[in-house]
Amino acid sequence: MGLLKLLRSLKADQTNDLRVLLLGLDNAGKTTILKALASEDITHINPTQGFNVKSVRCCNWNLTVWDIGGQKTIRQFWRNYYENTSVLIYVIDSSDVERIEEASLELNNLLEDEKLHNVPVLIYANKQDLALAAHPSEISDMMDLTKIRHRAWQIQACSASRGEGLTDGIDWVIKQTQTKKK
C-alpha cells in the first residue's frame, strides 16, 4: 500500500511540460538567454552551429527549450523543429538596428507557417544594457508587430548578460499557456 500511495503522490506533483522553440538571427543572444534561464555560466558562449536543447524548470513548469542556430545557412532547417511547439521565443539584438528588417522578415516567415499556427510568440528585445539598444517600442514599430493577429504576442526588454527581463518573459509564456489550457 505504501508504494501505491507514493506513486499517486508523484503523479499528483507532475509538472506541466512546454516545448519552447528559441529562434532569432545569429548573435542575437539566444544561447545566452537559454544558459541564463538554466542558471549556467554565460562567460564563454560560442555561436550555435546546430542546436542546443535544455530542460529548464520554472514555476512548476518544465520547459524543454530548443535553441537553434541563427546563421543564414541554418535558418532553412528551422522548420524541422516546429512540430509540437507550445511557445515561440524570438530574440532580437536591440543594438543591431541594421538587421531589424532581416529579423522582421524571418519572424514573418515563421508566423506564416501552418505548424506554428496560433503558437504564442514572446519577442525578447535583448541587449538592452548596451548604449545603442533600440527601445522595445521602437523595435515594435520597425517590425510592424501590431500587425500580428490571431495569436498572442509580447515584446519584452531584456539583457541576457545581466539576467534582466528574462523571468518577466517566461512569466508571460506560462500565463499564455495557462490561458490556452482553460
Side-chain angles (χ1 to χ4, degrees), residues 23-25 75 78 82 88 90 92 100-114 116-117 121 123 139-149 151 153:
L23 299 174
L25 302 185
R75 292 181 215 158
W78 284 358
Y82 295 172
L88 171 63
Y90 194 76
I92 305 285
I100 295 286
E101 186 177 335
E102 182 182 0
S104 180
L105 177 67
E106 293 295 344
L107 177 60
N108 286 327
N109 289 338
L110 291 166
L111 298 179
E112 290 174 5
D113 195 285
E114 185 60 34
L116 295 174
H117 182 70
V121 179
I123 301 158
I139 293 169
S140 180
D141 289 345
M142 286 187 267
M143 294 179 69
D144 215 4
L145 295 178
T146 56
K147 287 189 175 180
I148 297 175
R149 303 278 189 239
R151 77 175 69 230
W153 67 275

Side-chain angles (χ1 to χ4, degrees), residues 36-155:
L37 289 172
S39 300
E40 294 180 6
D41 180 29
I42 59 168
T43 32
H44 300 291
I45 307 246
N46 294 317
T48 304
Q49 296 303 316
F51 67 89
N52 297 303
V53 63
K54 290 197 181 299
S55 185
V56 178
R57 187 163 165 95
C58 186
C59 305
N60 205 33
W61 286 78
N62 185 41
L63 285 68
T64 303
V65 183
W66 290 80
D67 163 26
I68 316 300
Q71 295 89 341
K72 199 168 203 158
T73 56
I74 294 177
R75 292 181 215 158
Q76 63 185 330
F77 300 108
W78 284 358
R79 70 179 58 90
N80 296 325
Y81 299 90
Y82 295 172
E83 199 78 35
N84 299 317
T85 295
S86 306
V87 175
L88 171 63
I89 297 178
Y90 194 76
V91 183
I92 305 285
D93 179 345
S94 302
S95 69
D96 192 358
V97 292
E98 291 179 6
R99 294 184 74 196
I100 295 286
E101 186 177 335
E102 182 182 0
S104 180
L105 177 67
E106 293 295 344
L107 177 60
N108 286 327
N109 289 338
L110 291 166
L111 298 179
E112 290 174 5
D113 195 285
E114 185 60 34
K115 288 181 182 174
L116 295 174
H117 182 70
N118 287 330
V119 171
V121 179
L122 170 64
I123 301 158
Y124 273 131
N126 192 24
K127 304 185 184 183
Q128 288 293 309
D129 54 309
L130 300 180
L132 298 175
H135 189 273
S137 62
E138 294 174 282
I139 293 169
S140 180
D141 289 345
M142 286 187 267
M143 294 179 69
D144 215 4
L145 295 178
T146 56
K147 287 189 175 180
I148 297 175
R149 303 278 189 239
H150 311 294
R151 77 175 69 230
W153 67 275
Q154 171 78 18
I155 187 164

